Amino acid sequence: VGVPAARFDRRPGGPTPLDTLGWVLQGALVAGAVAVVAVTCRRGRSENRLDRELDERLVRRLPLAALLLFVLALLYGGWTRPGWTSAGRLTGDTTFGALALAQGLLVVVLAVVAHLLHRSRPDSRAAIRGLGGPAVALLACALGGVMSGGVAQRVGDWMDGTGALIDGPPVLLTWQASVIPPLLVVVLLLCAALTRHTLRLARAERDTVERDHPGETGDTGRTRRIAFTRAMATLTDRVPVLVAIVSAATLLLGAGALVGALTTGQVPAEAARGTYAVVHGAAQTAQALGSWLIGLGFILFVTWGRRAYKDPSARRSIGILWDVGTFWPRAAHPFAPPCYAERAVPDLTWRMATWTRATGGRLVISGHSQGSVLAAAAAWQLEPAARKRVALLTYGSPLERLYGRWFPAHFGPEALASLHEEVDCWRNLHRRTDPIGGPMRLPGDAGPAVDRTPLKDPLTYGRTELHPLPAPILGHSDYQADPVFAEERARLLARLRPEVPAPRHTDGATPPVPAADDTLGDC
């Protein structure tokens, strides 16, 4: 917005107040960009020194400064200038092309490094054979680019008021928006294939459900619901394939958009003019449909965020993504919200170390879902002597199924196996209907020692004296409602020394601590 106006103000005839203001504004924009890059580079955390410094005043004032520069640019660009008629495109074609090329090259370099790391320490369970990080980075860059292109195109059309497409956004952004329809076709084909696979798996699971509940089955509808829930839970394991195919298609289509924008210098509809009518029509349709789809996607993105305040299921889904995204330190993603693990893990570690040191006893840490990740991270931070006094009870845990596959360097088989050897004992509960939690899959004898056989879900197929109403399919929630949970917790508590203080009860009674269970010797 500001550069075209500043270029016009620098016309021959000597400096003017607007010309001086344009130079000042552009200098402030450059200084702000340099400050943002410098702050981002300096915020990398180190594992060798303790960071006790608060954010500088410059860091806290950057958002307000950016908003102020944005308002000043709008006022400066919108000032009335006699004899000036806006025409052509906004500046930035070269800048956007250079950014897209740099992002693509960085993703390729990340992919090469990830491939070499995976070859040096192969892991069959790693997502996309170790290329999960570069694939997600590519999708993030593409999402930012196409959302910028679609929103800019739609806003430009609405401001134009004529209903026709205007030559406003940079050419590359229009090309990026135009490749959305073919990418959407790829996604729809993948969804159709996954749907077909899930339905086939659900039909196959009906026999398994009948074997798990011998003599109880007979309700065809209930059998189908249980089987379909189990089949849907396996979609989590199909996500790497989906990400791999979508990221590969995105890379090819993005490279094509970049080549088309740099070689033709025109939007797809103009570049296809003079060719076959079918090609020209397809280019026009892709250009218009792509911009509309991205504009619609942006609206849906905002609407989904608002749903989180009213819909518990939407809030739960967003909360899962938020927990994963904000678990890692900001050195991994400087623009993310503050990392809660940098506060929660040290606090939990301090409480565990203090209690074991003060009582001289053992401690059972129970963690569900993301809580199991925090429990494992806190146990890793303990001293070896204190870690040997800690037992873990995890249920619905994504430690191996999600974290181990997408972050194998931190939660891979070697890391989880070492955690099992270093803590006093570890038991893990999971269900086949759980789309998030799963077994730890430790190698050798450690696997059965840690993982309990999948819990029944539902607890009973039909009605019983203990369950007069049909038992619900719990999936990822309410593991404590399963009697196996109390059984495993009692077995872990039985390993506590008799002199360790027992848990308090509301009636004031202190039950005796059960004796150690010899069957836990291989735990």
Side-chain angles (χ1 to χ4, degrees), residues 51-84:
D51 184 8
R52 297 184 179 274
E53 299 178 359
L54 298 177
D55 288 338
E56 304 171 1
R57 292 185 178 181
L58 173 63
V59 177
R60 297 197 300 267
R61 293 176 180 176
L62 275 178
L64 180 60
L67 180 61
L68 179 61
L69 285 176
F70 173 68
V71 173
L72 290 177
L74 290 179
L75 294 176
Y76 171 73
W79 195 269
T80 303
R81 291 171 174 81
W84 183 37

Side-chain angles (χ1 to χ4, degrees), residues 149-151 153-154 157 165 177-178 180-181 286-296:
V151 172
Q153 184 72 62
R154 290 265 57 86
D157 293 342
L165 294 175
S178 300
I180 290 301
Q287 182 175 320
L289 183 60
S291 61
W292 275 107
L293 286 175
I294 298 303
L296 178 62

Side-chain angles (χ1 to χ4, degrees), residues 158-368:
W158 291 331
M159 293 180 65
D160 179 47
T162 63
L165 294 175
I166 65 171
D167 295 334
V171 175
L172 178 60
L173 290 182
T174 306
W175 274 87
Q176 288 179 334
S178 300
V179 301
I180 290 301
L183 181 61
L184 186 61
V185 171
V186 174
V187 174
L188 290 177
L189 291 176
L190 281 174
C191 292
L194 288 176
T195 301
R196 180 173 177 269
H197 177 270
T198 303
L199 293 178
R200 292 178 58 184
L201 184 60
R203 286 194 295 268
E205 282 289 337
R206 295 175 192 173
D207 297 335
T208 307
V209 172
E210 294 178 355
R211 288 195 301 268
D212 291 343
H213 301 275
E216 299 181 55
T217 57
D219 187 345
T220 305
R222 185 165 176 79
T223 301
R224 287 179 176 177
R225 285 193 296 272
I226 298 173
F228 184 71
T229 304
R230 290 183 178 183
M232 288 293 292
T234 62
L235 288 177
T236 303
D237 302 318
R238 300 289 174 179
V239 170
V241 178
L242 180 65
V243 173
I245 297 177
V246 173
S247 59
T250 301
L251 180 61
L252 295 177
L253 291 173
L258 180 61
V259 172
L262 295 180
T263 56
T264 65
Q266 298 175 327
V267 297
E270 295 177 356
R273 193 183 304 276
T275 60
Y276 293 102
V278 176
V279 177
H280 183 247
Q284 285 184 317
T285 302
Q287 182 175 320
L289 183 60
S291 61
W292 275 107
L293 286 175
I294 298 303
L296 178 62
F298 183 80
I299 295 175
L300 292 177
F301 184 77
V302 175
T303 305
W304 192 41
R306 289 180 59 86
R307 276 189 59 200
Y309 293 95
K310 299 180 181 180
D311 189 353
S313 61
R315 183 163 56 250
R316 190 179 305 112
S317 301
I318 296 175
I320 293 173
L321 298 175
W322 186 272
D323 284 343
V324 175
T326 56
F327 171 78
W328 298 100
R330 296 182 77 177
H333 38 58
F335 299 105
C339 169
Y340 69 90
E342 290 183 332
R343 301 181 300 275
V345 172
D347 180 74
L348 180 58
T349 302
W350 177 82
R351 294 174 64 183
M352 294 163 62
T354 303
W355 194 89
T356 54
R357 183 174 60 253
T359 62
R362 298 175 180 178
L363 186 65
V364 176
I365 299 297
S366 168
H368 172 249

Side-chain angles (χ1 to χ4, degrees), residues 104-126:
L105 292 177
L106 285 175
V107 168
V108 171
V109 172
L110 283 175
V112 172
V113 173
H115 176 67
L116 294 177
L117 290 175
H118 181 72
R119 287 189 59 185
S120 63
R121 299 174 65 181
D123 180 6
S124 60
R125 289 281 295 173

